[in-house]
Amino acid sequence: MIPPQEASARRREIEDKLKQEEETLSFIRDSLEKSDQLTKNMVSILSSFESRLMKLENSIIPVHKQTENLQRLQENVEKTLSCLDHVISYYHVASDTEKIIREGPTGRLEEYLGSMAKIQKAVEYFQDNSPDSPELNKVKLLFERGKESLESEFRSLMTRHSKVVSPVLILDLISGEDELEVQEEVPLEHLPEGVLQDVVRISRWLVEFGRNQDFMNVYYQIRSSQLDRSLKGLKEHFRKSSSSSGVPYSPAIPNKRKDTPTKKPTKRPGTQDRKQVSTHPASPRAPGTIRKAQNLLKQYSQHGLDGKKGGSNLIPLEGRDDTLDVETDAYIHCVSAFVKLAQSEYQLLMDVIPEHHQKKTFDSLIQDALDGLMLEGENIVSAARKAIIRHDFSAVLTVFPILRHLKQTKPEFDQVLQGTAASTKNKLPGLITSMETVGAKALEDFADNIKNDPDKEYNMPKDGTVHELTSNAILFLQQLLDFQETAGAMLASQVLGDTYNIPLDPRETSSSATSYNSEFSRRLLSTYICKVLGNLQLNLLSKSKVYEDPALSAIFLHNNYNYILKALEKSELIQLVAVTQKTAERSYREHIEQQIQTYQRSWLKVTDYIAEKNLPVFQPGVKLRDKERQMIKERFKGFNDGLEELCKIQKAWAIPDTEQRDKIRQAQKNIVRETYGAFLHRYGSVPFTKNPEKYIKYRVEQVGDMIDRLFDTSA
């Protein structure tokens, strides 16, 4: 049972909650009524707004459509006006550009090309839209005039700015290959940079828009002329230098001139490095071949190898004019210069001429210079042939350094001429073949002339010294030392192996007649030299028979054999001879000794008078009989007369080699003094005459002094 107080409190609590709930319910009801009212108001507003929007839309859409149509009409009008302006501008092109075209592109190429572009567009427009209009003819004529002006400007730029390369610069370009340090390839500046850019732009325009290739002919004609003039200038430089100083500036000289101008490598903007056509052609060497051999002869002369020379039907090599050496040097340098300049020309041509026309244009460009080189080479060959006919083999020697250089330079030639016509490529091989043929002919004819040189008494040296035929033969062979491979190639090219009976080793030769290794070439040359020396020896033996005195004949052969041996030993000829003749040196020494013995026999007619086997026998202290006294007188008189006669005759003879002269004198002096001394000791005190001074004319020392004056015309 709940107490009344708690029940009363509980009721009050429930009543309070009920009252609160009723108040809450009343608040919610009021809120719902307000919300409904607001909703109704919002719906009314939205309905009114929708109605107004519909009215606005119905009013704006027609206006928008009308405005859009007006805008489209405006755009069409603007496009039409623009087209009209564009078309009208074509009618004004001629008048707007005529002054520029008339004045030409000089100094304003960019503006001129812009005007030409306008004219070209006008031509295209009228051709497409109004081919019968007079305006088309007008702009066409203007375009042709502008094109002609560009062609004229191209020619003018090339003519005014293409310069001949100076000889000194060419020589520096060639000599750069001999330096030990590898240097960057320095291209020649044939045209100033700005001019080159204008030339390139004009050429590209003429190809792309002008549809004209005539400018390529202009290009190669101008550049061809400059190339040809550069080579001729180099040749003239050699001539002037040789005439003024005697020694032309040559890249073969190690000391490079300090004042020589050089070009620094430059790169044009927008261009890429190109692979050089060539880097190191064979370097030319000033041959100086004849001068070198003459210096050798002078050295031999100082050692007593030279002397008065007898005549020969061979033109003396020492009499050769140095002009031939200058011409040879000039030609060799021109060959190397052609390679370098042609390489440089091709580099320039690659910028100016379209790629598919480059080889043909280059072929035309180099023709004059190349033909000039080949013609000069053929003239050298022709002169060599004439020299062979008149036996002037020194002139033929000019072929050797030239041929060697042509062969060394041929790989560079082939690379430079790559892509040219076959006729152009074959010019150098043809010249090489001609030179090999004439060289081989010269070698064979020289050997034959050595063998067949006539024995003319008036051409023989009166004193028995070295014959001119000998000195010429040795001098000629010495020239070949500098050109061993070249001379070997000449011999091999004419299939001379059979002539010299040289077995051909398959390892030494190939299917090509001119293909051989250096050993085979050396053997061929060695056999040829031995042939010449053999012919020379046979001829000398024949010539020695011209002398009536066997002793003089022996002195003549001795001098010549000794000269040959010393010349062989003082050069590399002895090693070359030894390739096929191992005993050549010993053989010459034996010949020399044999001739000395032959000469010594000439004194027997003197010493025989006083030889012990021919002397009378008598008893000491016994008076001589008249017969014995007469015999002793005859022995003294025979000795005296023979000694005086031989000394008088042999005093005029010559032995240029001091060592050999002293050796022969001493040997003969020893023999005569010993024999005469013994004779004088035995009979000098014998009373065989009342006038002993009449028969005993010479003391032993005086006899020695007389022999010491043999072979000395100044004594």
Side-chain angles (χ1 to χ4, degrees):
M1 202 62 195
I2 300 173
Q5 291 179 350
E6 291 181 7
S8 175
R10 179 76 173 164
R11 188 170 46 256
R12 283 196 300 273
E13 182 179 353
I14 292 171
E15 288 176 352
D16 290 338
K17 287 184 178 181
L18 180 60
K19 185 177 179 180
Q20 289 178 358
E21 290 294 334
E22 287 177 351
E23 289 177 356
T24 300
L25 180 61
S26 176
F27 176 75
I28 291 172
R29 187 179 290 111
D30 291 339
S31 295
L32 287 174
E33 289 177 356
K34 289 181 181 180
S35 177
D36 289 342
Q37 185 63 37
L38 289 172
T39 299
K40 289 178 181 179
N41 291 338
M42 180 59 69
V43 170
S44 175
I45 291 171
L46 290 175
S47 297
S48 175
F49 184 70
E50 181 180 8
S51 175
R52 290 180 180 180
L53 281 177
M54 289 180 66
K55 290 180 180 180
L56 180 61
E57 182 178 356
N58 292 335
S59 300
I60 291 300
I61 287 177
V63 174
H64 174 72
K65 289 181 178 180
Q66 187 177 5
T67 302
E68 185 178 3
N69 291 335
L70 289 173
Q71 287 177 344
R72 189 178 297 112
L73 290 173
Q74 184 179 1
E75 290 176 0
N76 290 338
V77 170
E78 289 177 353
K79 288 180 179 180
T80 301
L81 291 174
S82 176
C83 289
L84 287 173
D85 290 340
H86 183 67
V87 171
I88 292 172
S89 68
Y90 288 132
Y91 287 86
H92 294 148
V93 165
S95 59
D96 292 342
T97 60
E98 185 175 8
K99 181 181 179 182
I100 297 175
I101 299 302
R102 184 175 63 252
E103 293 176 353
T106 303
R108 51 175 181 178
L109 181 61
E110 190 70 28
E111 181 183 5
Y112 194 88
L113 292 178
S115 298
M116 289 298 294
K118 294 178 181 179
I119 296 171
Q120 184 180 6
K121 290 180 180 179
V123 171
E124 293 173 354
Y125 171 79
F126 289 121
Q127 284 178 337
D128 294 339
N129 299 281
S130 183
D132 298 328
S133 64
E135 285 77 7
L136 176 60
N137 293 330
K138 190 172 183 179
V139 292
K140 271 187 174 182
L141 290 174
L142 198 58
F143 183 82
E144 290 299 323
R145 185 190 306 171
K147 185 171 71 171
E148 290 174 359
S149 295
L150 285 173
E151 293 171 356
S152 177
E153 179 69 6
F154 182 89
R155 179 188 294 273
S156 176
L157 290 174
M158 291 297 302
T159 302
R160 285 187 288 113
H161 297 283
S162 290
K163 304 298 182 184
V164 174
V165 183
S166 70
V168 173
L169 185 56
I170 295 175
L171 291 172
D172 279 344
L173 190 67
I174 299 173
S175 65
E177 303 149 3
D178 297 331
E179 297 178 3
L180 296 178
E181 297 182 1
V182 178
Q183 297 182 347
E184 182 181 355
E185 189 78 9
V186 181
L188 292 174
E189 188 182 58
H190 294 290
L191 295 173
E193 184 64 29
V195 174
L196 178 59
Q197 290 180 356
D198 288 348
V199 167
V200 171
R201 292 204 61 187
I202 294 174
S203 69
R204 290 177 180 174
W205 188 93
L206 290 173
V207 171
E208 185 176 357
F209 303 109
R211 307 292 191 271
N212 188 353
Q213 299 180 5
D214 291 342
F215 77 95
M216 300 181 195
N217 297 332
V218 172
Y219 177 86
Y220 89 70
Q221 289 169 0
I222 294 174
R223 293 309 309 167
S224 175
S225 174
Q226 299 302 323
L227 175 60
D228 192 47
R229 290 171 60 193
S230 296
L231 293 177
K232 289 179 178 177
L234 177 62
K235 188 174 182 180
E236 186 64 24
H237 172 76
F238 270 86
R239 290 175 178 170
K240 290 181 179 179
S241 298
S242 63
S243 61
S244 60
S245 63
V247 182
Y249 169 56
S250 169
I253 299 175
N255 296 327
K256 197 172 182 180
R257 285 173 30 158
K258 300 296 183 182
D259 59 343
T260 302
T262 57
K263 293 287 183 180
K264 295 182 179 180
T266 57
K267 284 189 178 181
R268 293 184 292 277
T271 61
Q272 296 179 348
D273 292 338
R274 294 186 298 272
K275 184 179 180 181
Q276 298 294 335
V277 176
S278 176
T279 54
H280 298 289
S283 173
R285 299 289 184 199
T289 305
I290 305 301
R291 291 190 295 269
K292 178 180 177 182
Q294 289 174 351
N295 291 335
L296 286 174
L297 280 179
K298 290 178 182 178
Q299 294 175 11
Y300 299 158
S301 177
Q302 293 172 0
H303 292 82
L305 285 181
D306 204 358
K308 297 179 182 179
K309 299 177 177 60
S312 168
N313 68 333
L314 296 175
I315 295 179
L317 297 181
E318 296 150 308
R320 182 177 183 270
D321 193 347
D322 284 346
T323 304
L324 289 176
D325 276 344
V326 173
E327 293 295 330
T328 300
D329 290 356
Y331 185 74
I332 286 176
H333 284 80
C334 283
V335 170
S336 290
F338 172 82
V339 173
K340 274 295 186 181
L341 293 177
Q343 291 170 354
S344 182
E345 288 292 344
Y346 192 76
Q347 297 297 321
L348 178 65
L349 179 141
M350 289 171 65
D351 284 334
V352 180
I353 305 300
E355 183 177 359
H356 54 286
H357 291 286
Q358 289 173 0
K359 293 296 183 182
K360 182 179 179 181
T361 304
F362 181 70
D363 195 346
S364 301
L365 188 154
I366 62 173
Q367 282 304 313
D368 286 348
L370 182 58
D371 286 344
L373 279 179
M374 295 302 105
L375 177 60
E376 191 171 351
E378 290 297 341
N379 289 339
I380 292 172
V381 172
S382 178
R385 290 195 183 101
K386 295 177 181 178
I388 293 173
I389 294 174
R390 64 177 184 269
H391 301 157
D392 181 9
F393 294 99
S394 64
V396 181
L397 289 170
T398 58
V399 172
F400 285 74
I402 293 173
L403 177 58
R404 180 177 64 181
H405 186 68
L406 289 179
K407 284 191 169 185
Q408 291 173 343
T409 315
K410 186 176 181 299
E412 307 303 325
F413 253 96
D414 293 342
Q415 191 171 6
V416 170
L417 301 182
Q418 186 178 3
T420 58
S423 59
T424 302
K425 296 178 182 178
N426 293 333
K427 288 180 179 180
L428 180 63
L431 179 59
I432 289 176
T433 300
S434 296
M435 287 193 172
E436 283 187 335
T437 301
V438 75
K441 174 67 173 172
L443 292 176
E444 280 303 288
D445 280 19
F446 182 80
D448 291 341
N449 275 274
I450 293 296
K451 180 179 181 181
N452 301 319
D453 188 70
D455 306 325
K456 299 177 181 178
E457 184 175 355
Y458 61 85
N459 279 335
M460 296 295 291
K462 303 300 182 183
D463 56 2
T465 188
V466 179
H467 197 279
E468 189 176 40
L469 178 69
T470 302
S471 61
N472 278 345
I474 293 299
L475 181 57
F476 184 86
L477 295 179
Q478 286 166 348
Q479 322 298 316
L480 302 183
L481 288 176
D482 288 334
F483 309 103
Q484 295 183 32
E485 289 190 6
T486 304
M490 290 176 176
L491 298 172
S493 68
Q494 302 302 311
V495 197
L496 296 180
D498 293 337
T499 303
Y500 298 131
N501 298 316
I502 294 182
L504 301 182
D505 190 330
R507 293 171 297 179
E508 295 176 339
T509 59
S510 68
S511 58
S512 172
T514 58
S515 178
Y516 56 92
N517 63 18
S518 58
E519 182 60 28
F520 178 63
S521 170
R522 188 172 174 83
R523 288 172 59 194
L524 269 179
L525 188 57
S526 173
T527 306
Y528 171 78
I529 291 175
C530 290
K531 176 183 178 181
V532 172
L533 292 176
N535 290 348
L536 177 60
Q537 185 174 341
L538 291 174
N539 197 304
L540 289 174
L541 282 171
S542 176
K543 290 182 184 301
S544 67
K545 297 176 183 178
V546 172
Y547 296 110
E548 296 180 358
D549 191 336
L552 181 56
S553 177
I555 291 296
F556 170 77
L557 290 176
H558 165 272
N559 284 332
N560 283 272
Y561 291 157
N562 184 64
Y563 179 91
I564 294 170
L565 177 61
K566 291 296 179 67
L568 293 178
E569 290 177 335
K570 289 182 179 294
S571 67
E572 296 178 11
L573 281 173
I574 193 66
Q575 291 90 346
L576 197 55
V577 169
V579 172
T580 54
Q581 293 290 339
K582 304 294 184 183
T583 62
E585 185 175 0
R586 185 181 65 187
S587 177
Y588 273 110
R589 294 192 185 281
E590 291 174 354
H591 289 321
I592 292 170
E593 189 60 34
Q594 181 182 354
Q595 299 308 319
I596 292 176
Q597 294 174 6
T598 301
Y599 162 75
Q600 289 176 342
R601 284 197 289 272
S602 69
W603 281 84
L604 290 177
K605 63 182 180 181
V606 176
T607 57
D608 277 353
Y609 281 104
I610 57 176
E612 187 174 355
K613 63 181 180 179
N614 297 324
L615 296 178
V617 179
F618 61 92
Q619 295 295 327
V622 178
K623 185 178 179 180
L624 297 176
R625 292 173 295 178
D626 292 342
K627 181 179 180 181
E628 291 174 338
R629 287 195 297 270
Q630 184 62 32
M631 184 177 292
I632 294 174
K633 290 178 182 179
E634 290 176 353
R635 294 292 183 266
F636 270 106
K637 186 177 187 303
F639 173 79
N640 292 335
D641 292 345
L643 177 65
E644 292 170 356
E645 181 184 1
L646 281 186
C647 287
K648 180 181 179 181
I649 294 173
Q650 295 185 8
K651 177 184 177 182
W653 297 355
I655 299 179
D657 188 333
T658 305
E659 181 182 349
Q660 286 291 314
R661 182 170 62 241
D662 292 343
K663 174 184 175 182
I664 292 174
R665 282 173 176 171
Q666 188 62 42
Q668 197 59 53
K669 183 168 66 173
N670 292 340
I671 294 173
V672 176
R673 286 179 60 180
E674 181 181 353
T675 306
Y676 181 65
F679 176 77
L680 192 61
H681 176 73
R682 185 170 183 178
Y683 295 101
S685 58
V686 174
F688 64 92
T689 180
K690 295 180 180 179
N691 301 308
E693 66 277 0
K694 178 180 178 181
Y695 297 97
I696 306 175
K697 298 175 62 175
Y698 303 106
R699 300 190 305 275
V700 175
E701 294 76 12
Q702 288 178 310
V703 171
D705 291 341
M706 292 174 68
I707 295 176
D708 280 337
R709 290 193 291 270
L710 297 179
F711 317 117
D712 187 359
T713 56
S714 62

